[in-house]
Amino acid sequence: MSGLVIRNLHVRLEEDPEVEILKGVDLTIQKGEVHALMGPNGSGKSTLSYALMGHPKYEVTDGTVEFDGTDILELAPNERAQLGMFLAFQYPVSIPGVSMANFLRLSINARRKAEDPEDKGISIPDFRRLLKAKMDALGMDHSFAGRYLNEGFSGGEKKKAEVLQMAVMEPHIAIMDETDSGLDIDALRTVAEGVDKLRGPEMGILVITHYQRMLNYIKPDYVHIMFEGRVVQSGGPELAMELEEKGYEEIRKKYAKQVA
Ligand code: ADP
Ligand code: MG
């Protein structure tokens, strides 16, 4: 099957194997689809994105994750990226002295080289054209490309950088974790509208968010709710509206009971 297929994924903390965080996650994201993963704080949303990226802190103890039919759990993070998976967390927080533009060019070249060891890399003029086109499409100021990667970036700028990276890399699946660390409403909107502009038949997108407000700008095809390490409900956009109205209390009552 094409796209990302997660089956019965169980994840523990590497340093404390007593703690199971994901307890059997099932989720399938096909190319061209936008999925939103919602859920209360602590339900395991970020753990899922870390595990998908192959973060060493999180140990997969059961289940499978396939991407376009390839078992990715055996692959290193950079190999997952080469397959066309984009995980917003896979890059260092800050690389002193490396501009956004340089970083993006290096990323493109790494991907090209993985596909063809003889590849000489994208030419500077071609890269400039590509970058300009992507920034224009996203409505981003060109000066952003000259900024040093994540150095002194605000939370909103970091997210903007991720969206630009996503635009340039043209992944087949993108996983965006809106870490709940308060983006202001303008930053949230810029980022969400950017992601919405990037959607297309070749890309599946998983937007992870605690709040419904992000989904005012990215209309998901499917919405899933995670609770205590499982996807407990899936539906269409109406599910997010329902949550907005009722909050997570109902989910808590309904599904916490099963555990007790
Ligand atoms: P969410 O993103 O939905 O808020 P997380 O995946 O961040 O949830 O966390 C799920 C649970 O796992 C929480 O109880 C959290 O405390 C725990 N957890 C996640 N990562 C770690 C870690 N590195 N060390 C200790 N506990 C962790
Ligand atoms: Mg989180």
Side-chain angles (χ1 to χ4, degrees):
M1 195 192 275
S2 76
L4 184 71
V5 182
I6 304 167
R7 286 201 194 95
N8 189 35
L9 189 69
H10 288 252
V11 172
R12 289 172 194 270
L13 277 181
E14 171 73 32
E15 61 185 10
D16 186 0
E18 297 284 296
V19 185
E20 183 169 65
I21 303 174
L22 300 186
K23 302 166 182 163
V25 171
D26 291 291
L27 196 61
T28 296
I29 299 166
Q30 311 257 29
K31 278 180 199 152
E33 296 176 349
V34 177
H35 291 242
L37 182 67
M38 304 183 71
N41 280 326
S43 54
K45 305 182 298 296
S46 294
T47 298
L48 177 64
S49 63
Y50 282 123
L52 292 175
M53 128 186 166
H55 195 295
K57 265 199 157 174
Y58 300 89
E59 189 191 355
V60 173
T61 53
D62 203 0
T64 57
V65 182
E66 287 184 0
F67 181 61
D68 286 349
T70 303
D71 171 8
I72 64 147
L73 293 177
E74 295 304 316
L75 302 180
N78 66 317
E79 294 171 314
R80 299 181 195 201
Q82 282 154 15
L83 284 182
M85 293 184 72
F86 178 89
L87 300 135
F89 286 128
Q90 76 197 59
Y91 301 108
V93 177
S94 143
I95 311 181
V98 174
S99 67
M100 268 308 291
N102 258 326
F103 171 74
L104 292 172
R105 197 164 55 83
L106 293 172
S107 307
I108 289 178
N109 286 346
R111 172 114 153 245
R112 285 171 57 140
K113 205 153 182 85
E115 278 161 18
D116 172 13
E118 303 287 298
D119 189 271
K120 296 280 180 285
I122 188 168
S123 76
I124 304 268
D126 280 353
F127 174 70
R128 289 221 175 103
R129 262 192 295 276
L130 174 79
L131 185 58
K132 250 182 95 179
K134 297 293 185 186
M135 294 185 93
D136 288 342
L138 292 169
M140 271 182 200
D141 196 290
H142 292 180
S143 65
F144 193 61
R147 293 278 305 272
Y148 289 112
L149 190 69
N150 286 353
E151 231 176 71
F153 276 18
S154 68
E157 285 170 337
K158 277 187 191 160
K159 288 282 153 190
K160 235 168 90 176
E162 283 172 10
V163 173
L164 180 59
Q165 216 178 312
M166 197 170 137
V168 167
M169 296 305 285
E170 299 176 353
H172 297 305
I173 178 110
I175 298 161
M176 305 281 299
D177 191 346
E178 182 217 343
T179 49
D180 299 320
S181 56
L183 286 189
D184 68 42
I185 199 78
D186 291 332
L188 185 93
R189 183 175 174 157
T190 311
V191 168
E193 285 180 346
V195 173
D196 198 59
K197 281 181 191 143
L198 296 179
R199 69 197 289 175
E202 288 309 313
M203 199 190 306
I205 302 179
L206 178 63
V207 180
I208 300 180
T209 179
H210 178 75
Y211 301 107
Q212 196 274 339
R213 54 181 192 183
M214 181 109 169
L215 306 179
N216 292 332
Y217 308 108
I218 313 173
K219 289 268 170 280
D221 302 301
Y222 302 94
V223 174
H224 311 274
I225 300 171
M226 183 171 262
F227 183 70
E228 294 185 352
R230 283 189 196 88
V231 173
V232 294
Q233 281 187 13
S234 295
E238 75 286 347
L239 195 53
M241 303 308 242
E242 235 180 274
L243 269 187
E244 172 80 345
E245 240 171 72
K246 300 179 186 162
Y248 286 112
E249 208 39 49
E250 215 153 291
I251 298 283
R252 232 175 234 122
K253 269 189 214 143
K254 194 159 170 193
Y255 295 99
K257 238 186 281 167
Q258 287 184 357
V259 177

